[in-house]
Amino acid sequence: MRLSKLFLPVMKETPADAQIVSHRLMLRSGMIRQSAAGIYNWLPLGLKVLRNVERIVREEQDRAGAQEILMPTVQQAELWKQSGRYDAYGPEMLRMMDRHEREMLFGPTHEEQVTDIFRNCVKSYKDLPKNLYQIQWKFRDEIRPRFGVMRGREFLMKDNYSFDLDEEAARRSYNRMFVAYLRTFARLGVRAIPMRADTGPIGGELSHEFIVLAPTGESAVFYDHDFNSLDIPADDTDYDGDLQPIVDNWTSRYAATEEMHEPTANGVPEGHKLITGRGIEVGHIFYFGTKYSEPMNAIVQGADGEKIPVHMGSYGIGVSRLVGAIIEASHDDNGIIWPENVAPWHVGLINLRSNDADCTAACDDLYEKLGRAGVDVLYDDTSERAGAKFAKMDLVGLPWQLMLGPRGLKAGIVELKNRATGEREELTPDAAFAKLAGGKG
Amino acid sequence: MRLSKLFLPVMKETPADAQIVSHRLMLRSGMIRQSAAGIYNWLPLGLKVLRNVERIVREEQDRAGAQEILMPTVQQAELWKQSGRYDAYGPEMLRMMDRHEREMLFGPTHEEQVTDIFRNCVKSYKDLPKNLYQIQWKFRDEIRPRFGVMRGREFLMKDNYSFDLDEEAARRSYNRMFVAYLRTFARLGVRAIPMRADTGPIGGELSHEFIVLAPTGESAVFYDHDFNSLDIPADDTDYDGDLQPIVDNWTSRYAATEEMHEPTANGVPEGHKLITGRGIEVGHIFYFGTKYSEPMNAIVQGADGEKIPVHMGSYGIGVSRLVGAIIEASHDDNGIIWPENVAPWHVGLINLRSNDADCTAACDDLYEKLGRAGVDVLYDDTSERAGAKFAKMDLVGLPWQLMLGPRGLKAGIVELKNRATGEREELTPDAAFAKLAGGKG
């Protein structure tokens, strides 16, 4: 993409209410623009990152055997009355009447909706287990939306729901999501630690939060030093096999958010160094048994004809929130530092002198060659001065910057900069091409 | 995907209110389930098709130089008051109050929202032209939703908006979308004809509807016989070049919906055979000048410092509606016949005797091999009887069916059926593999 064509409205000054760094950087770099309190427009740069996050989340859900569906944003109040949550949910639920005066709502979550699908479609134990997920926009009418996409009102979530015959099978479903989450966050380039969680308004017995570590995170967290070296489950993890050892390995160590932190009660083992850090919740998984299946009659017929309410779990990842969380975990004073897998482009190509015909020809040539090799390039072909170009490219945070100027080119040299480390290297255009095209993916 | 694992709740009987064939087939084949009047859950089969349609629409937008953004579903009423449409829109707009009693609405379209983005971000003529699109769910509270996803209340649309300095440039933007639409519908496997349209509530001067021909379409259409042989613009069409000849070629012939049909006034040329058919509107493009930019102050500074309200156009494709429209255009008594590009899977592999170890081994083997070769296969590995499997595969409508039974395998033979033509062919498993893997994509 040529920067001269890209719709990238960078902001010089950010509004005073942008208190946290990810909010400021997303506004400054033209990823988002606010539409209303807690409601954002995603502009091309932001949407590219959002889609990358979404794609990785989807790939890991598919790998774990979940099946994608899509439920509507607008739900009937009737279902929530069946589960007993319509009144309980309170003013965070955006409620409305349709033209026939039927009570509707913008789904803040989809337990009722998916339970309704399940009870209408599945009748026999033979059809279990099932795990259905969606990636869909939700609305929670926060009283004081803030922190940009980190606590917006309209936000994108991956939510899924497992259905099993009994608790033992439900725990297997829970474990599959636990492992999928470890892999998902690792692929997104962040370190996430599962922490035992309060089950809150969704209810239930077993629950973990996944917390991304970030120095600017929203809350304090306390965790065993060992987490820094635990292995992420591999690509070929067998989701039909026994995942309990992996889950045990990740849950037998101390890790707690501020609210759950009880160092004495939980007895941090002697000799284990406890780290105090800050974190951001990006995922939450629950097993809640028959909490919804019983009141809503989500019942299957067992092998002997008996009626069995299904055991359910639900599993959320804040997809739009993750974009903010990744920035909180990965930035410096100059801007964002995208992990490779979610970067909007792989390389920023900077023409240092766009009014120099030779320099521009060399840039155009490299841009075309990289494109043909499948390397995603953002090409700054504008006539801005070099300093402004450097600043913008640092702000936007692509993993690599490739700079071409007339002086270097005369010497057969271009400069390659690694955004994360700041390391710079001078090399020939061909060597730069080989490095970027080879280092891809 | 193994059918034994797929969440595919087929329906034996469809509800009486499913009046049209696409609605019935989508319910019967387990693509969708109704959630409320005009609001649907998309189940795995349906969602796969919806995503395929979305992908092709997106690819053609990108090719034509439009840039993807994503605007929220929930909008502020304030913007619609500025344009004057808040009261005018009427009861089709789903309105709501947030917890702070601010008037909000679920966007039925996004002219106001995008104009607000534009006026906040773009200040100079140098940043024009711009064309921004999104693929987003919308809500229109139809008084009597019906026809399944063809006239739902919550529906997925691709909508975009072009911004230009003057009418001449705006017409170039219009032409780019006109050409992109011709390519989009052709790639989706349907024949769509642009017809001059009434501009309706969006207003404006120049407008075309794109009508998919389908014998069961919603309205009568009248068009020149020549449309059956016009060329679709090629892959390498230069969107920066002059597209007027292509547009002229497609607009100089007679084509009209029932409402616009005036054979005498428009003078169908002598010797031109007029065809009477039926069609479904799947796209609509408008040029409406400064209708929104003037009241909403979407103004850029011209080369001489003068303030110029931008000339806008908007361009819609009904993405979820298209899924229904494609079925209306392509089905038979036994079920859906998916065009290759949108088919949820390329091949349905049928194990005719799942309790026969040799037959199952041969099926498993072919399933793995096809998967490794990148061919999307839905593998019916269930224990249902053969007749039920044939019926289900016909209903689901994948382009190819590959049937393996013990008798055939003993003779080294499998059967391959083309869903569209019904042609059957006996060949060796290797030859079937070669044909399917080679014929892919």
Side-chain angles (χ1 to χ4, degrees):
Chain A
M1 168 63 78
R2 284 174 183 264
L3 190 59
S4 58
K5 296 210 164 176
L6 179 64
F7 181 56
L8 185 76
V10 297
M11 267 179 147
K12 295 264 146 55
E13 317 253 304
T14 50
D17 69 345
Q19 299 168 30
I20 62 169
V21 66
S22 61
H23 191 188
R24 284 197 302 273
L25 289 174
M26 288 179 77
L27 288 170
R28 277 184 54 205
S29 65
M31 290 178 67
I32 54 170
R33 281 276 168 143
Q34 184 171 305
S35 163
I39 305 181
Y40 292 90
N41 297 297
W42 291 78
L43 305 186
L45 182 69
L47 185 59
K48 272 183 90 90
V49 176
L50 186 70
R51 293 290 183 230
N52 286 343
V53 172
E54 190 181 325
R55 176 180 46 77
I56 290 172
V57 169
R58 176 176 289 121
E59 285 170 4
E60 293 301 327
Q61 286 296 313
D62 291 342
R63 191 196 298 269
Q67 291 184 53
E68 191 172 5
I69 63 172
L70 190 67
M71 294 178 275
T73 62
V74 176
Q75 304 179 12
Q76 297 190 80
E78 171 55 25
L79 290 176
W80 289 70
K81 291 180 177 168
Q82 291 175 20
S83 75
R85 286 207 292 180
Y86 189 61
D87 293 326
Y89 212 95
E92 271 197 16
M93 182 185 279
L94 185 65
R95 298 158 204 250
M96 61 204 79
M97 291 276 205
D98 74 7
R99 68 192 293 172
H100 299 297
E101 307 265 296
R102 279 173 300 220
E103 290 173 295
M104 312 294 280
L105 57 99
F106 197 122
T109 179
H110 282 70
E111 279 82 6
E112 283 78 0
Q113 185 78 18
V114 78
T115 303
D116 183 52
I117 295 174
F118 182 88
R119 71 183 174 183
N120 290 331
C121 295
V122 180
K123 305 293 181 190
S124 162
Y125 75 99
K126 290 183 199 159
D127 293 323
L128 299 183
K130 279 283 172 283
N131 185 330
L132 304 176
Y133 79 98
Q134 68 170 349
I135 299 177
Q136 176 64 296
W137 292 88
K138 296 184 170 28
F139 200 99
R140 287 184 197 161
D141 203 355
E142 299 259 358
I143 191 160
R144 201 159 77 84
R146 56 198 162 140
F147 302 156
V149 302
M150 297 268 287
R151 196 171 297 176
R153 293 197 290 170
E154 186 167 331
F155 59 97
L156 186 61
M157 248 185 104
K158 185 284 300 170
D159 46 321
N160 50 346
Y161 306 92
S162 61
F163 303 89
D164 286 282
L165 200 61
D166 55 33
E167 180 173 342
E168 199 189 320
R171 280 179 183 264
R172 285 195 295 271
S173 291
Y174 187 90
N175 288 350
R176 276 192 281 271
M177 287 299 107
F178 191 102
V179 170
Y181 276 36
L182 292 175
R183 287 187 45 80
T184 300
F185 298 121
R187 285 189 60 197
L188 291 171
V190 288
R191 180 179 294 275
I193 296 179
M195 304 194 181
R196 187 170 282 273
D198 188 14
T199 53
I202 292 196
E205 303 161 26
L206 175 63
S207 178
H208 286 91
E209 288 178 351
F210 286 75
I211 308 281
V212 162
L213 300 178
T216 50
E218 60 198 356
S219 60
V221 293
F222 307 89
Y223 59 96
D224 195 309
H225 179 264
D226 285 3
F227 278 108
N228 287 334
S229 55
L230 290 185
D231 286 338
I232 300 295
D235 284 10
D236 61 353
T237 299
D238 176 12
Y239 281 96
D240 292 327
D242 182 11
L243 301 173
Q244 198 62 49
I246 300 176
V247 174
D248 288 345
N249 191 34
W250 281 82
T251 55
S252 59
R253 291 168 171 83
Y254 189 83
T257 57
E258 211 156 6
E259 299 122 38
M260 302 289 281
H261 187 42
E262 287 183 78
T264 46
N266 287 278
V268 179
E270 214 160 320
H272 278 236
K273 210 177 128 197
L274 209 58
I275 297 181
T276 304
R278 299 196 71 79
I280 300 163
E281 185 198 332
V282 289
H284 205 153
I285 63 179
F286 299 90
Y287 161 63
F288 45 70
T290 58
K291 180 178 156 70
Y292 297 95
S293 58
E294 281 189 354
M296 292 186 69
N297 254 317
I299 280 169
V300 295
Q301 198 157 49
D304 302 322
E306 72 278 29
K307 289 187 186 309
I308 304 169
V310 287
H311 285 247
M312 292 175 57
S314 76
Y315 314 89
I317 290 181
V319 176
S320 48
R321 165 169 257 246
L322 260 166
V323 176
I326 292 168
I327 296 173
E328 294 290 333
S330 186
H331 67 272
D332 63 16
D333 288 346
N334 298 324
I336 303 166
I337 303 171
W338 289 117
E340 296 267 350
N341 283 348
V342 297
W345 287 274
H346 185 61
V347 184
L349 172 65
I350 301 177
N351 181 350
L352 294 174
R353 192 79 58 79
S354 65
N355 58 1
D356 180 302
D358 290 343
C359 186
T360 297
C363 286
D364 287 358
D365 182 53
L366 211 46
Y367 175 60
E368 303 259 310
K369 271 177 66 182
L370 286 165
R372 276 198 303 272
V375 181
D376 273 344
V377 181
L378 177 62
Y379 173 17
D380 189 344
D381 59 341
T382 67
S383 57
E384 274 196 293
R385 64 191 172 75
K389 290 187 176 189
F390 295 146
K392 189 182 279 181
M393 212 49 101
D394 274 357
L395 175 63
V396 165
L398 311 183
W400 296 96
Q401 295 173 11
L402 183 59
M403 289 156 279
L404 274 69
R407 209 168 339 150
L409 282 167
K410 253 172 221 143
I413 291 296
V414 300
E415 192 174 19
L416 187 65
K417 174 178 153 185
N418 181 300
R419 175 68 181 89
T421 65
E423 279 176 75
R424 291 158 178 280
E425 190 182 353
E426 294 198 327
L427 65 188
T428 65
D430 283 350
F433 169 79
K435 183 160 182 172
L436 292 169
K440 214 230 142 196
Chain B
M1 169 63 83
R2 283 175 183 265
L3 190 60
S4 59
K5 297 209 162 177
L6 179 65
F7 181 55
L8 184 76
V10 297
M11 266 180 148
K12 295 263 149 53
E13 317 253 306
T14 49
D17 68 347
Q19 299 168 29
I20 62 169
V21 66
S22 62
H23 191 188
R24 284 197 301 271
L25 288 173
M26 288 180 76
L27 288 169
R28 275 183 57 204
S29 65
M31 291 178 66
I32 54 170
R33 281 275 169 146
Q34 182 170 308
S35 164
I39 305 181
Y40 292 89
N41 297 295
W42 291 78
L43 305 185
L45 181 70
L47 186 58
K48 273 182 91 91
V49 176
L50 185 70
R51 292 293 183 230
N52 286 342
V53 172
E54 191 181 325
R55 176 180 47 74
I56 289 171
V57 169
R58 176 176 289 117
E59 285 170 3
E60 293 303 325
Q61 286 297 310
D62 292 344
R63 189 194 300 268
Q67 292 184 52
E68 191 172 5
I69 63 173
L70 190 66
M71 295 180 273
T73 60
V74 176
Q75 304 180 12
Q76 297 189 83
E78 172 54 26
L79 290 176
W80 289 70
K81 290 178 179 168
Q82 290 175 21
S83 75
R85 283 207 295 180
Y86 189 61
D87 293 326
Y89 213 94
E92 271 196 17
M93 181 185 279
L94 186 65
R95 298 159 204 250
M96 61 203 82
M97 292 276 207
D98 74 5
R99 68 191 292 172
H100 299 297
E101 308 265 298
R102 280 174 299 225
E103 290 174 296
M104 312 293 280
L105 56 98
F106 197 121
T109 179
H110 282 68
E111 278 83 6
E112 283 79 359
Q113 185 79 18
V114 78
T115 303
D116 184 51
I117 295 174
F118 182 88
R119 70 182 175 185
N120 290 329
C121 296
V122 180
K123 306 289 181 194
S124 163
Y125 75 98
K126 291 183 198 157
D127 294 323
L128 300 181
K130 280 283 172 285
N131 186 331
L132 304 175
Y133 79 98
Q134 67 169 351
I135 299 177
Q136 178 61 297
W137 291 87
K138 296 183 169 31
F139 201 99
R140 287 185 198 162
D141 203 356
E142 299 258 358
I143 191 159
R144 199 160 77 84
R146 58 200 159 134
F147 302 155
V149 301
M150 297 268 288
R151 194 170 298 177
R153 293 197 290 169
E154 187 168 331
F155 58 97
L156 187 61
M157 245 183 106
K158 186 284 299 170
D159 47 321
N160 49 347
Y161 307 92
S162 62
F163 303 89
D164 285 280
L165 200 59
D166 55 30
E167 180 173 340
E168 197 189 324
R171 278 178 184 266
R172 285 196 294 271
S173 292
Y174 187 91
N175 287 350
R176 277 193 280 271
M177 286 300 106
F178 190 103
V179 170
Y181 276 36
L182 291 176
R183 287 187 44 80
T184 300
F185 299 122
R187 285 188 60 198
L188 291 171
V190 288
R191 178 179 294 275
I193 296 180
M195 304 194 181
R196 187 170 281 274
D198 189 13
T199 54
I202 291 196
E205 303 162 28
L206 175 61
S207 178
H208 286 92
E209 289 179 349
F210 286 76
I211 307 280
V212 161
L213 300 178
T216 51
E218 59 198 355
S219 60
V221 292
F222 308 88
Y223 59 96
D224 194 307
H225 178 265
D226 284 2
F227 278 108
N228 287 335
S229 55
L230 290 186
D231 285 338
I232 299 296
D235 284 9
D236 61 354
T237 299
D238 177 11
Y239 281 97
D240 293 326
D242 181 12
L243 301 173
Q244 198 63 48
I246 300 176
V247 174
D248 289 345
N249 191 31
W250 282 83
T251 54
S252 59
R253 290 170 172 80
Y254 189 84
T257 57
E258 210 156 6
E259 299 121 37
M260 303 287 283
H261 187 42
E262 287 184 79
T264 46
N266 286 278
V268 179
E270 212 160 323
H272 279 237
K273 211 178 132 198
L274 208 58
I275 298 182
T276 304
R278 299 196 73 79
I280 301 164
E281 185 199 331
V282 290
H284 205 155
I285 64 180
F286 300 90
Y287 161 64
F288 45 71
T290 59
K291 179 177 157 73
Y292 297 95
S293 58
E294 281 188 353
M296 293 186 68
N297 253 317
I299 280 169
V300 295
Q301 199 156 48
D304 302 321
E306 72 281 27
K307 291 186 184 313
I308 304 169
V310 288
H311 285 246
M312 293 174 57
S314 76
Y315 314 89
I317 291 182
V319 176
S320 48
R321 166 170 257 245
L322 260 166
V323 176
I326 292 168
I327 295 173
E328 294 290 334
S330 185
H331 67 271
D332 63 16
D333 289 345
N334 297 323
I336 303 166
I337 302 171
W338 290 117
E340 295 268 349
N341 283 348
V342 297
W345 288 273
H346 185 62
V347 184
L349 171 65
I350 301 177
N351 181 349
L352 293 173
R353 191 80 58 78
S354 65
N355 60 359
D356 179 302
D358 290 342
C359 184
T360 297
C363 286
D364 287 356
D365 181 54
L366 211 46
Y367 175 59
E368 304 259 308
K369 270 177 68 181
L370 286 165
R372 276 198 305 274
V375 182
D376 273 345
V377 181
L378 177 62
Y379 172 18
D380 189 344
D381 60 340
T382 67
S383 57
E384 274 196 293
R385 64 191 174 75
K389 291 187 176 188
F390 295 145
K392 188 183 282 181
M393 212 50 99
D394 274 356
L395 175 63
V396 165
L398 311 183
W400 296 97
Q401 296 173 11
L402 183 59
M403 291 157 277
L404 275 69
R407 211 171 337 155
L409 283 168
K410 251 172 224 144
I413 290 295
V414 301
E415 193 175 17
L416 187 65
K417 175 179 152 183
N418 182 298
R419 174 67 181 90
T421 64
E423 278 176 74
R424 292 157 179 276
E425 188 181 356
E426 293 198 330
L427 65 187
T428 66
D430 284 349
F433 169 80
K435 180 156 186 173
L436 293 170
K440 213 228 147 198

